[in-house]
RNA sequence: GGGCGAUUGGCUCAGUGGUAGAGCGCCUCGUUCACACCGAGGAGGUCACUGGUUCGAACCCAGUAUCGCCCACCA
């Protein structure tokens, strides 16, 4: 009866069951089947498959230091539906899972959990045990944290992540993700570090990575440089201050500024070259108030006449426009704000007047906030503050994880070319975006906007301790100064290295930090510098060329819309530079989960409803149904009601299947022999199903799982409510033994068998547990490795029958039901007489199935059929009998 | 300021040129020999607004409003 041969990935639980239980339930299916799948290796990746046979997925590695919330369940379900569909389509699905344990969140969590902090200057300690374990609800204070080497810190991170990962994996298994759990990776693991370092070294070799000392955005809290992609513009309260500079003759030139504390860092006043008000000042100099520094008045087109006074104070550096002016007008560097966000303590030499030096002395060491107050007080006293400051809400750049506005400081950093300063590369990356299939397509504009708007290369270095170190040392000259122009790199075979504990080739540890010796690059890579390489990490770019050839470029990147500019773009950059290709051909972008009040579901609220709690309460199939009923790229409401509908559907599948399998003898309850389907109604039902199969398949191929589910679901309910009701008496074949079933009965049983077989496959990607449960009652193997249905066999069985016949018969049945419903009697009440007024278009269906209609409607007497002008079937002249005694 | 998306019955959403759809909720009734985690029947919408194109517009075009998001804006 089955066309499937037994295979090793068949869950054994399935073979043992092989019978329909008396009572069916969705409860407990998760444990039963996730265990069976794991044991049988149902989702194990077969690495002998060729690239054409493989469908590879670049799964987002969830941050293990955080917790999973319903948004994760939502988007990971979308990916799993895709994975299951392609697996059934016959593709070998490469579906690994990563854990993101690299970056600031993990760093903080490890500090608090183990009571340690990373100090890369310390040596590695073998067998180190942390002083503390567990958070006890409160963090270990920074002062009580024990300093440890970077290697020890990374080991602790891996240890903590391993614990977190177990919980995450348990949740994903319960949700039914068809991941191959033998393939997991960590973003701080040795493979990921080696891949990051090797990719960096190759970028360096090709000139794609470079170092530069330049002004850049700087977070004073974390004391690290920040990349453009990590910026967030936020409203920040400020005030416009009108400040008078003075010409040599004493005439005042008034500017407006929100950063008066940068007055000592002023290098010029700048106005637009066409601004008539300031023509006479260009080429002259003015003197700053309080500090008495002479600065030129210059023209530059970036100055906007209608902003402020139309003439701006250019400081090093108040904002990115200052940097532009500084660069293009070749202005001197006069920095006064240090990396800690405080005014530099040493009085700068460009302030020469005694009064100016005294004023600066009062500012030294102050935060920018306190310095501002002091400068404003000074200006007020000197009469150079005109009027009172006017409060304003201005936008300031923040590091997305920080809470103080970013400063601009000059520092030496590593950059990776990403087209931000190179039109040719930018165009090439835009073209790559054009090759990538975004789902939904409109998400592409976020990529285009971002790449088109880049204003510099990708800053990849961070002044943090934890992360993937740059695999670079610098020789020290005779004066002990590092020679940044001559970096020493390790052999690729030695990766991953930690330059703070490993020694570069040709040196000894004793030479570390000594003149004539070497020094390690102290920085670590931006976390995106590692996660941008997830395809290379999972596909074995480092040391498994065979696997790489079978999986890369990958097929799918699923991810959130918020990280198109970071994760998606940076991955495209790396693959373009390293592999000369796109990293994947499709990008599936999931939407947000919204609160009932249409706000993005916050983490705090998300944590109130824990994912595991949801799965336990509603069942995994139900939660998956809710997720799968939202389209890619569309925000979805967190709606328990939708989960209840999913649960109902799963239960209905169990019950309807049980019913279908109850008609025939236990050893062969239904047939899959299409040649037995002879009755028009049965053929019409299969014809309709064939259309559903074609449309659902096309929808899934187009990454529209919602449409596919809707089509299958709609068909299924009609199948249950009308078709099943119409044919059940015939399918029972009352009184007929297995040996002599009538042709009509055999037809119904075969049609039901073919339909059930098809429907289970159609639902399997969304409802893996309920469908597998039913499959185990009568089929061999697992539905999840069964071939995706095709319409060919169904169409052959339908033999050209019009699928509309089902609608006609269904309408006739509904008309009879309506008579009873309006008479407020039981559906079992016999109908002794009625006339069906049938529109011409439905007449064929009614007549073809008139015996089934009669049975299903309990029409015991005469049932006449007349043609009507109406739009639907109406029953009239009904005469109801006595309800059958119970 | 630029852009993207959304606006359809109480709720959540389908519907891209041909007489408004689904599920939930609601109302009425029935039912426990597949399914009470059930079934049947029913009520309920001038498709945000204003113009335009068209024989015909929820759908196409122009604009407006509201909501969400992305980018830019720091004098």
């Amino acid at each position: 009866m089955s066309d499937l041969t037994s295979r090793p990935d068949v869950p054994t639980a399935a073979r043992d069951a092989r019978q329909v239980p008396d009572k069916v339930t969705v409860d407990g299916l998760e444990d039963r089947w996730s265990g069976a799948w794991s044991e049988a290796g149902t989702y194990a990746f077969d690495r002998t498959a060729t690239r054409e046979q493989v469908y590879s997925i670049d799964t987002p590695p969830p941050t293990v230091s955080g917790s999973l919330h319903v948004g994760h369940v939502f988007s990971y379900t979308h990916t799993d539906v895709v994975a299951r569909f392609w697996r059934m389509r016959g593709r070998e699905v490469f579906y690994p899972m990563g854990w993101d344990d690299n970056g600031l969140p993990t760093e903080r969590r490890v500090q608090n959990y183990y009571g340690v902090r990373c100090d890369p200057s310390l040596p590695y300690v073998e067998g180190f045990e942390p002083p503390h374990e567990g958070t006890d609800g409160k963090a270990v204070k920074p002062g009580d944290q024990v300093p440890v080497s970077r290697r020890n810190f990374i080991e602790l991170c891996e240890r903590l992540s391993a614990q977190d990962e177990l919980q995450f994996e348990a949740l994903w298994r319960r949700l039914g993700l068809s991941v191959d759990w033998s393939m997991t990776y960590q973003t701080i693991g040795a493979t990921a570090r080696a891949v990051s370092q090797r990719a960096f070294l190759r970028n360096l070799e090709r000139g794609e990575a470079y170092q530069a000392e330049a002004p850049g955005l700087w977070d004073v809290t974390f004391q690290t440089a920040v990349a453009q992609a990590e910026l967030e513009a936020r409203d920040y309260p400020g005030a416009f201050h009108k400040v008078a500079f003075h010409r040599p003759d004493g005439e005042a030139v008034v500017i407006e500024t929100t950063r008066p504390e940068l007055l000592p860092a002023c290098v010029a006043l700048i106005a637009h070259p066409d601004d008539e008000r300031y023509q006479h000042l260009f080429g002259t100099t003015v003197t700053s108030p309080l500090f008495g520094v002479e600065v030129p008045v210059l023209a530059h087109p970036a100055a906007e006449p209608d902003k402020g006074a139309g003439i701006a104070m250019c400081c090093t550096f108040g904002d990115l426009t200052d940097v532009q002016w500084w660069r293009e007008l070749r202005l001197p560097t006069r920095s006064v704000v240090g990396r800690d966000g405080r005014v530099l303590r040493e009085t700068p030499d460009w302030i020469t007047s005694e009064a100016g030096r005294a004023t600066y002395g009062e500012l030294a060491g102050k935060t920018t906030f306190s310095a501002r107050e002091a400068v404003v007080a000074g200006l007020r006293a000197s009469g150079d503050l005109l009027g009172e400051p006017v409060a304003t809400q201005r936008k300031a750049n923040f590091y997305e994880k920080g809470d103080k506005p970013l400063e601009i400081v000059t520092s030496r950093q590593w950059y990776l070319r990403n087209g931000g300063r190179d039109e040719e590369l930018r165009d090439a990356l835009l073209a790559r975006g054009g090759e990538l299939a975004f789902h939904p397509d409109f998400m592409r504009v976020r990529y285009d906007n971002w790449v088109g708007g880049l204003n510099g290369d990708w800053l990849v270095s961070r002044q943090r301790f934890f992360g993937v170190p740059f695999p670079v040392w610098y020789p020290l000259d005779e004066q002990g100064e590092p020679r940044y122009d001559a970096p020493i790199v390790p052999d690729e075979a030695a990766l991953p290295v930690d330059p703070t504990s490993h020694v570069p080739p040709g040196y000894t540890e004793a030479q570390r930090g000594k003149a004539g010796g070497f020094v390690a690059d102290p920085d670590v890579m931006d976390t995106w510098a590692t996660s941008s390489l997830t395809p290379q990490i999972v596909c074995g770019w480092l040391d498994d060329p065979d696997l790489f050839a079978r999986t890369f470029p990958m097929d799918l990147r699923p991810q959130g819309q918020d990280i198109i500019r970071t994760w998606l773009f940076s991955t495209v950059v790396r693959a373009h530079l390293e592999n000369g290709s796109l990293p994947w051909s499709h990008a599936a972008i999931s939407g947000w989960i919204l609160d009932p009040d249409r706000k993005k579901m916050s983490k705090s609220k998300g944590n109130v409803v824990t994912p595991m709690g949801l799965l336990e309460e509603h069942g995994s199939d139900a939660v998956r149904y809710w997720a799968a009923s939202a389209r890619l790229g569309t925000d979805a409401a967190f709606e328990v009601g939708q989960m209840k509908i999913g649960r109902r559907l799963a239960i209905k599948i169990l019950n309807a299947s049980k019913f279908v399998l109850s008609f025939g003898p236990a050893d062969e309850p239904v047939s899959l022999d299409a040649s037995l389907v002879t009755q028009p109604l049965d053929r019409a039902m299969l014809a309709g199903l064939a259309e559903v199969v074609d449309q659902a398949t096309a929808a899934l191929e187009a990454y529209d799982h919602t449409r596919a589910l809707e089509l299958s679901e709609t068909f299924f309910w009609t199948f249950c409510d009308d078709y099943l009701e119409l044919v059940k008496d015939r399918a029972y074949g009352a009184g007929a033994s297995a040996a002599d079933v009538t042709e009509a009965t055999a037809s119904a049983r075969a049609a039901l068998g073919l339909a059930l077989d098809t429907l289970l496959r159609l639902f399997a990607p969304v409802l893996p547990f309920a469908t597998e449960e039913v499959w185990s009652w009568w089929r061999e193997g697992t539905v999840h490795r069964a071939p995706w249905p095709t319409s060919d066999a169904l169409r052959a069985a339908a033999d050209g029958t019009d699928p509309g016949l089902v609608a006609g018969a269904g309408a006739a049945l509904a008309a009879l039901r309506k008579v009873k419903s309006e008479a407020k009697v039981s559906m079992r009440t016999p109908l002794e007489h009625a006339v069906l007024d049938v529109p011409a278009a439905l007449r064929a269906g009614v007549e073809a199935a008139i015996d089934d209609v009669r049975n299903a409607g309990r029409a015991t007497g005469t049932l006449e059929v007349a043609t009507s002008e109406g739009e639907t079937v109406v029953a009239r002249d009904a005469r109801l009998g006595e309800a059958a005694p119970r």
Side-chain angles (χ1 to χ4, degrees), chain A residues 19 87 217 220 224 277 298 359 378 405 431 458 494 580 637 668 681 707 766 768 778 806 836 871:
Chain A
Q19 58 179 358
R87 189 179 292 113
L217 292 159
V220 299
T224 182
R277 294 170 295 177
L298 303 171
T359 307
W458 177 11
E668 192 178 359
L681 183 68
R707 176 88 185 122
V766 176
W778 66 307
V806 179
L836 286 171
E871 292 183 357

Side-chain angles (χ1 to χ4, degrees), chain A residues 560-583:
Chain A
Q561 55 189 300
D562 51 331
I563 50 176
I564 289 174
R565 66 174 178 171
T566 49
W567 195 33
L568 190 146
F569 174 58
S570 64
T571 311
V572 171
V573 170
R574 302 308 285 270
H576 176 75
L577 296 178
E578 192 58 52
N579 311 99
S581 73
L582 271 178

Side-chain angles (χ1 to χ4, degrees), chain A residues 37 61 426 499 559 676 698 731 853:
Chain A
W37 295 330
R426 180 184 313 212
Q559 66 161 76
L676 298 176
V853 171

Side-chain angles (χ1 to χ4, degrees), chain A residues 45 71 140 228 281 353-354 424 439 458 477 583 837 862:
Chain A
F45 175 65
V140 177
Q228 186 187 353
L281 293 177
S353 74
E354 205 169 305
E424 204 176 315
H439 305 287
W458 177 11
D477 62 17
D837 283 333
T862 47

Side-chain angles (χ1 to χ4, degrees), chain A residues 103-113 145 153 222 401:
Chain A
L104 270 174
T106 300
E107 185 172 349
R108 278 198 224 134
R109 179 157 151 77
V110 169
Q111 284 173 351
N112 294 335
Y113 193 88
Q145 292 169 352
F153 195 87
F222 292 98
K401 298 185 181 70

Side-chain angles (χ1 to χ4, degrees), chain A residues 662-680:
Chain A
S662 71
F663 295 135
D667 61 330
E668 192 178 359
V670 290
S671 170
L672 292 172
D673 184 351
S675 70
L676 298 176
V677 182
T678 54
Q679 306 300 301

Side-chain angles (χ1 to χ4, degrees), chain A residues 591-674:
Chain A
W592 300 120
I593 297 305
L594 302 177
D595 280 346
D597 49 346
R598 309 304 302 175
K599 294 265 170 56
K600 182 183 163 190
M601 195 119 181
S602 62
K603 286 213 168 141
S604 55
K605 285 182 183 169
N607 288 343
V608 172
V609 186
T610 66
M612 193 56 99
L614 268 189
L615 298 183
E616 283 167 358
E617 184 180 351
H618 302 284
S620 294
D621 280 344
V623 175
R624 290 174 63 101
Y625 174 90
W626 159 72
S629 50
R631 292 179 300 170
L632 287 174
T634 303
D635 296 344
F638 176 74
E639 212 194 344
V640 170
Q642 198 67 9
M643 296 174 200
K644 292 188 171 158
I645 296 164
R647 184 179 175 88
R648 193 181 68 149
L649 175 62
I651 292 169
K652 189 79 174 180
I653 287 172
L654 296 181
N655 279 307
S657 301
K658 184 181 117 183
F659 189 41
V660 166
L661 296 175
S662 71
F663 295 135
D667 61 330
E668 192 178 359
V670 290
S671 170
L672 292 172
D673 184 351

Side-chain angles (χ1 to χ4, degrees), chain A residues 409-642:
Chain A
V409 307
T410 300
S411 57
R412 172 172 298 280
Q413 303 288 347
W414 282 105
Y415 294 87
L416 195 55
R417 296 189 196 283
N418 68 351
R421 313 179 67 121
D422 173 352
E423 204 167 322
E424 204 176 315
L425 179 56
R426 180 184 313 212
D427 290 346
L429 289 167
L430 282 169
R432 288 284 182 221
E435 294 168 33
L436 179 61
F438 282 84
H439 305 287
D441 186 65
F442 68 79
M443 288 293 178
R444 172 190 313 285
V445 301
R446 301 203 181 193
Y447 178 93
D448 293 342
N449 287 348
W450 179 253
V451 180
L454 289 170
N455 58 29
D457 281 331
W458 177 11
L459 188 152
V460 289
S461 47
R462 293 292 181 276
Q463 288 63 57
R464 301 300 303 168
F465 307 120
F466 174 66
V468 178
F470 284 88
V472 170
W473 300 265
Y474 305 102
L476 296 174
D477 62 17
E478 286 78 50
Q479 282 75 47
E481 290 298 316
R483 291 199 43 207
Y484 293 114
D485 58 333
I488 309 164
V489 299
D491 286 341
E492 283 193 356
L495 302 178
V497 300
D498 181 351
T500 61
S501 60
H502 293 89
V503 175
Y507 289 84
T508 64
E509 181 61 35
Q511 292 173 282
R512 186 185 295 275
K514 302 278 166 48
F518 71 93
V519 67
D521 187 307
D523 290 351
V524 297
M525 296 181 196
D526 170 14
T527 175
W528 295 114
T530 296
S531 33
S532 60
L533 293 162
T534 48
Q536 289 82 357
I537 293 168
V538 297
C539 293
W541 176 66
L542 189 68
D543 54 10
D544 196 343
D546 177 72
L547 180 66
F548 194 69
R550 295 172 196 276
T551 53
F552 186 93
M554 303 184 81
D555 290 279
L556 178 68
R557 156 62 68 83
Q559 66 161 76
Q561 55 189 300
D562 51 331
I563 50 176
I564 289 174
R565 66 174 178 171
T566 49
W567 195 33
L568 190 146
F569 174 58
S570 64
T571 311
V572 171
V573 170
R574 302 308 285 270
H576 176 75
L577 296 178
E578 192 58 52
N579 311 99
S581 73
L582 271 178
W584 358 256
S585 44
H586 296 265
I589 311 294
S590 289
W592 300 120
I593 297 305
L594 302 177
D595 280 346
D597 49 346
R598 309 304 302 175
K599 294 265 170 56
K600 182 183 163 190
M601 195 119 181
S602 62
K603 286 213 168 141
S604 55
K605 285 182 183 169
N607 288 343
V608 172
V609 186
T610 66
M612 193 56 99
L614 268 189
L615 298 183
E616 283 167 358
E617 184 180 351
H618 302 284
S620 294
D621 280 344
V623 175
R624 290 174 63 101
Y625 174 90
W626 159 72
S629 50
R631 292 179 300 170
L632 287 174
T634 303
D635 296 344
F638 176 74
E639 212 194 344
V640 170
Q642 198 67 9

